[in-house]
Amino acid sequence: MPTLILVRHGRSTANTEGILAGWTPGVGLDERGAAQAAALPGRLAAVPLAEVVTSPLQRCRETLQPLLDARPGLTAHTDERIGECHYGDWSGRKLAELKDEPLMEVVQAHPAAAAFPGGESLRAMQTRAAEAVREWNARVERDHGPDAVYLMCSHGDIIKSLVADALGLHLDLFQRISVEPCSITAIRYTRLRPFLVRLGDTGDFASLVPREETPGDEAAVGGGAGAP
């Protein structure tokens, strides 16, 4: 079965402003995110890509544009199932405000039970994304063969949930996974099991440098802004 490369979109204006964007329209890449996207074709230059699939949201489409420009033969297919979690009434709000919401504790400690008011549950988000991957695996294998490699550009919580699915982890453990903006995660699927072969690879170790302000113990809902 194929190998799937998961790319989280580059850093967005919502990431830098500390806003939970969700499906809020008009959220694009900031200056650093645009630079991350521009570097993506070089990072993937040696990898033949059979297909490219993207979330419909602007920040993902902007992330992929340099790659598509560099490979005129590729067309991006849009799949809403790998779009961001529907955060409902939380969309567009500051993450600093949401910290005090009682639901945030559930999102952190028991995400399988978390459902966003006016939105969807994290369980539903994982289910639709995993179904999309399984359908695209079959399609890519049918059209390009079992050794094909294809790419999906998606969002932090989606990618974390797909990694958990591939590793057989309960969704309650997915907050232990971290994927930075424009990071590359790769999963090789086989008949018996998936193999996680890359996780959150940015080629940049800046996020490992100790910071003046120590990161907290909570996972960044939506994925976080990455290294400063």
Side-chain angles (χ1 to χ4, degrees):
M1 293 178 71
T3 296
L4 168 61
I5 294 176
L6 290 159
V7 176
R8 185 183 167 201
H9 62 78
R11 195 173 76 176
S12 72
T13 54
N15 292 146
T16 47
E17 293 168 9
I19 291 172
L20 187 63
W23 285 70
T24 304
V27 177
L29 302 182
D30 68 4
E31 186 176 350
R32 178 170 180 169
Q36 291 170 332
L40 193 58
R43 293 168 63 198
L44 293 172
V47 183
L49 296 175
E51 300 282 1
V52 171
V53 188
T54 183
S55 154
L57 295 173
Q58 178 182 333
R59 51 198 183 272
C60 287
R61 291 186 283 106
E62 289 181 357
T63 299
L64 281 182
Q65 196 57 55
L67 180 65
L68 297 174
D69 290 344
R71 302 196 191 195
L74 281 178
T75 302
H77 304 275
T78 300
D79 193 326
E80 291 199 358
R81 294 174 297 177
I82 62 165
E84 182 62 283
C85 183
H86 291 276
Y87 296 115
D89 298 345
W90 280 26
S91 299
R93 292 181 59 188
K94 287 273 190 182
L95 287 165
E97 297 173 5
L98 294 170
K99 280 175 59 177
D100 297 326
E101 293 279 354
L103 177 60
M104 183 59 86
E105 186 177 4
V106 182
V107 171
Q108 293 292 325
H110 189 16
F116 296 97
E120 70 178 333
S121 67
L122 287 169
R123 226 167 358 96
M125 176 203 74
Q126 182 188 44
T127 297
R128 62 172 164 86
E131 286 177 350
V133 166
R134 283 164 174 76
E135 287 182 21
W136 276 101
N137 281 349
R139 176 173 171 174
V140 170
E141 182 174 14
R142 181 196 68 205
D143 295 345
H144 303 282
D147 297 323
V149 180
Y150 74 107
L151 180 149
M152 284 184 167
C153 186
S154 188
H155 307 266
D157 282 349
I158 292 282
I159 294 172
K160 287 162 56 178
S161 76
L162 290 171
V163 170
D165 176 76
L167 292 176
L169 294 178
H170 196 284
L171 185 60
D172 281 346
L173 302 179
F174 101 126
Q175 298 290 28
R176 302 184 182 196
I177 299 165
S178 176
V179 290
E180 292 200 2
C182 224
S183 63
I184 291 172
T185 294
I187 302 169
R188 180 165 57 87
Y189 289 87
T190 73
R191 186 175 63 86
L192 295 181
R193 65 183 62 85
F195 292 89
L196 179 66
V197 293
R198 291 288 188 281
L199 176 62
D201 187 347
T202 63
D204 179 357
F205 295 102
S207 63
L208 303 181
V209 176
R211 305 182 191 180
E212 291 182 13
E213 183 180 336
T214 304
D217 58 4
E218 290 194 346
V221 181

